[in-house]
Amino acid sequence: EMKRITCFTSNLTGGGAEHQLTILSNLLAEKGYDVSIVTYNNIPDHYVLDKRIKRILLNVDGKNNIIKQLIISKFFFTHKTDCIISYRSVPNFILLLPLFITRKPKIIVSERNTTIVPSFREIINYNILYNRADHVVPNSHTQAKYLKGLNKKWKDRITTITNYTDVEEYSVKPVPKSTEVIKIGVFARLFPQKNYERFCFMLSKLKTFSDRQFCVYWYGDKKEGEFIKGSIHIHQLIEEYHIADVFKVKEAVSNVADYMNQFHAMCLPSLYEGFSNSISEYICCGKAVLCSDVSDNHIMVHDGFNGFLFAPTDVNSMCDAFCKFFQLTQKQIIEMGVNSRQIAETLFDKDNFINSYVRLIED
């Protein structure tokens, strides 16, 4: 009989961690595991789940943090499962708090970002709660190095499993035939991590630096829950920096690949990442990429080969990367896209991804 697997995170709205947990859950269900996904934020699901997966939403809306924790703790004390896979630091904290003193079930916690300054919860995770985890899975080599450097008792339980992107689902998209207006796409949440504020300022400078006509389209606008603040702020910045002619903010979409063929290049200006889903999808679609030189981004984007890297806190560095791209010919842009696809095909292997988790579940 196949094991019961429970996947846990805050919600399945648009985002890299949520997308990866959906992919993992679907692949585990394909393998024959009895899979459940448990979340606690009542936000509509952004991704499609395999019909065999049990979907559980814990009703904590309007409750304070203590009551919220008690409701979730009660669920996991009584929930019958063989293995829990938790994604993101806050859900990891919420999960491990009640299960710290129990030996069953097996617990796999996954780190989905690179830690810059640890939050209060992360400090508790790293110093206390992760001692209970059977496996700690960072999704980037950068975060794995950081965690191992903490020199904690659980460092021998660290296994890096980078994100998986389906190279068949995200097939090569053509470059627009006209280069009269260079079009660049961004698919990212409007969170401070994604560096949208400095990016807006950079675009105001780029307008004066370059005589190329260009327009950037950022897909990530959401007017609900934790997304409202960024949504309001970015529209204020567009007005403040007078960049409405070169910067369009669009609603978040889940079918990213369907939008790629309108762009000459893709961009991600984040201050930090884990192993970026957005960049993974960009290179699978055969796009040149302009992105920040942080975390594992350099594994997917080789400067001058399939895009340009920049320092995300340096506006001049960002401008320089864009100006370098603007100087490319149509042929060179296409070549960069071909190089991106080659990198993607060497990096993403479905069997390696799912079997890495199966080994942790079954060991």
Side-chain angles (χ1 to χ4, degrees), residues 12 19 22-23 26 37 45-51 53 254:
L12 290 183
H19 191 194
T22 302
I23 291 169
N26 287 343
I37 292 189
D45 289 356
H46 198 70
Y47 301 109
V48 179
L49 295 173
D50 188 294
K51 290 176 182 174
I53 294 171
S254 55

Side-chain angles (χ1 to χ4, degrees), residues 114 140-147 273-274 294-298:
T114 300
S140 70
H141 299 286
T142 307
Q143 183 66 357
K145 186 178 178 183
Y146 171 82
L147 294 175
E273 284 289 333
V294 296
S295 308
D296 283 13
N297 289 359
H298 67 278

Side-chain angles (χ1 to χ4, degrees), residues 139-157:
N139 77 333
S140 70
H141 299 286
T142 307
Q143 183 66 357
K145 186 178 178 183
Y146 171 82
L147 294 175
K148 287 175 182 176
L150 296 175
N151 199 28
K152 300 299 178 187
K153 295 175 189 172
W154 43 265
K155 69 176 183 180
D156 59 341
R157 296 176 225 157

Side-chain angles (χ1 to χ4, degrees), residues 3-15:
K3 288 181 177 172
R4 296 163 296 183
I5 311 295
T6 303
C7 296
F8 177 62
T9 192
S10 56
N11 55 65
L12 290 183
T13 189

